[in-house]
Structures are given as structure tokens and as C-alpha cells.
Amino acid sequence: MPESPLKEPAQQAVLTALGNGLFAVLRPEERLALAGHARLRAFAKGEVLFREGQESADPAFLLSGLVKLSRSAPRGRECVLHLVRPGRLLDAGVLFYEGGLPASAMGVREGRLLWLDKRALLAVLRGNAALGLGLIAALSLRQRLFINKLAGSQGRISASRRVAAWLLHRSKMEKTDALDLGVSREILARLVGISRESLSRELSQLAANGLISVERRRLLLLDRAGLQKLADS
């Protein structure tokens, strides 16, 4: 649960954080209004931040660490929906969900969160069109990923297409061709929607074709055009 209201120097750290990413378009008075209702929280690896079916949650902005969003699947299996990295909201949809939350959030690497008051953020959204458009863009991009995953689970998108599209998405989001995968291949495979063996096989094939290079948990995109052609095939 959120902790006590922010004090100096944490207040300044929060104001700085709210000047980046999605919140870079905030006016000074809007940033102050959000920071005044914010709560900082550290979390550990493996700690559950909210659970699928939970009635509600405030929006949370990830400052450091890594968080996975997942949903329970048949036979007790876990479906990893998304890996959230610093500078992004865990799930902007909590602003609008009705009924229970559709996914759980768990720390993959320890870090810090900034919980934002839902009513305060909605009030800012009503007066800041640029922030609203940025939020819509973020939600649309995540929706596209989920649609691709659903199509893949129904056999409409091959494993090679899914892996190529996911690598290009990661590169676009992080604005770099050098990717730190940061998690085990088991988690990555669940994220892409294929088996661990299939993921290893696809990465090896992409490397053999000169599209990427792989070293432990680091990966470099060598041929973006080739990956795009594969993703679109």
C-alpha cells in the first residue's frame, strides 16, 4: 500500500521524476499538484504490487527496477502480458477500469514506485490535452501488443514474426538497438507467448541470419530492415 506523504528531499526527487517521459508536458502547477498527493514506495523482487481481481488501484509510475504484468491462465499457468520499465506507468488503465483489475503486477527487479492519486491525475488530465494524448498513445501501443499476442496464441502469427516484432518494439521504446533483456528467457518466452525452447531457437536463427547478436542477456539489433521484413511477413 502507498506510504506516507512525501517530505523533502523526496519531494524534489518526485518533482524531477514528474518532469520526464509521459509527464514532461505538465505545467509547473500541475506537477506540484500531483507531487502533493504522491507516495513513494520501495519494492522487492517477487513482491506483488497489486493482484488480478483486486477492486482498484491508484496509478503507479515506475522510477527504478522492473515490473511484470501477468494474468493467470488455465491449469495454473502464468501469462506474462508486459514488462514495465522505469519512466512508465505500470498500467494506465487503472484510471478507467470498472470491476476488478485484469492483471497482477509483481517486481522482477527491486526498485521504487511513485503512487499517484487517481483523482488528482484525472483532474490534471481534464485540463492538459497533451498529457491525455500521450496517455492514449501509450495505451494504444500496449493494446497493439496484446492484439498481436492474442493473434499469435490462435496460430495466426508465427513465432519468428512475434520475436522480430517484439525486438523492434523494445528497440523503439528504449530508443536504442542495444537491448538489456534483464530477465530470464522463461519470462521473455511467456511475454512473447511461445515456449522457452522456441524463443531460444528463434533468437539463434536470427543471430545465424545476421539480424541480431546475442551475448547472455544482452542483445544487439544488427539489421532493423531485415527484422521489419520478417515481422511484416
Side-chain angles (χ1 to χ4, degrees):
M1 295 297 293
E3 297 176 352
S4 57
L6 297 171
K7 305 296 183 182
E8 292 289 353
Q11 182 83 1
Q12 186 55 50
V14 169
L15 287 171
T16 300
L18 290 174
N20 297 297
L22 177 69
F23 299 111
V25 297
L26 291 177
R27 295 183 286 270
E29 63 273 17
E30 294 171 331
R31 196 168 293 121
L32 280 170
L34 279 181
H37 293 279
R39 303 289 188 276
L40 275 174
R41 174 181 170 180
F43 62 88
K45 178 180 178 180
E47 182 176 350
V48 175
L49 303 170
F50 55 77
R51 292 186 182 278
E52 175 184 345
Q54 184 177 318
E55 185 175 346
S56 65
D58 279 328
F61 187 61
L62 187 61
L63 301 177
S64 63
L66 186 67
V67 172
K68 70 175 178 180
L69 298 181
S70 64
R71 185 177 174 88
S72 22
R75 300 178 184 177
R77 298 185 62 186
E78 177 191 53
C79 175
V80 178
L81 301 172
H82 195 59
L83 290 175
V84 186
R85 298 174 190 277
R88 297 178 176 87
L89 290 170
L90 294 194
D91 185 1
V94 298
L95 289 167
F96 313 107
Y97 293 142
E98 295 183 1
L101 299 180
S104 299
M106 176 184 289
V108 177
R109 285 202 302 258
E110 65 177 16
R112 290 188 100 194
L113 282 172
L114 178 63
W115 291 98
L116 300 168
D117 181 80
K118 182 184 296 187
R119 288 176 296 181
L121 182 52
L122 285 171
V124 170
L125 277 168
R126 292 186 186 100
N128 191 314
L131 179 62
L133 288 172
L135 188 63
I136 290 172
L139 287 168
S140 297
L141 183 57
R142 196 170 293 187
Q143 181 189 41
R144 182 184 181 90
L145 288 174
F146 292 165
I147 289 173
N148 285 341
K149 179 174 288 189
L150 178 61
S153 69
Q154 296 175 339
R156 297 178 181 176
I157 299 180
S158 67
S160 57
R161 283 185 62 192
R162 274 183 268 178
V163 173
W166 177 77
L167 291 173
L168 289 168
H169 167 74
R170 276 286 309 277
S171 177
K172 178 180 179 180
M173 294 299 293
E174 298 180 26
K175 298 180 174 61
T176 178
D177 288 337
L179 303 179
D180 180 3
L181 300 181
V183 295
S184 68
R185 289 198 179 185
E186 181 66 33
I187 292 178
L188 290 177
R190 292 179 184 178
L191 176 64
V192 179
I194 59 180
S195 69
R196 185 185 186 282
E197 294 74 16
S198 293
L199 176 63
S200 294
R201 183 168 56 250
E202 294 300 334
L203 290 177
S204 296
Q205 188 61 53
L206 291 175
N209 292 339
L211 300 179
I212 64 172
S213 66
V214 183
E215 183 179 350
R216 294 181 182 272
R217 292 187 180 181
R218 293 189 61 81
L219 185 149
L220 179 65
L221 275 61
L222 302 175
D223 184 352
R224 293 182 61 85
L227 286 169
Q228 190 65 63
K229 182 177 179 180
L230 178 60
D232 293 339
S233 63

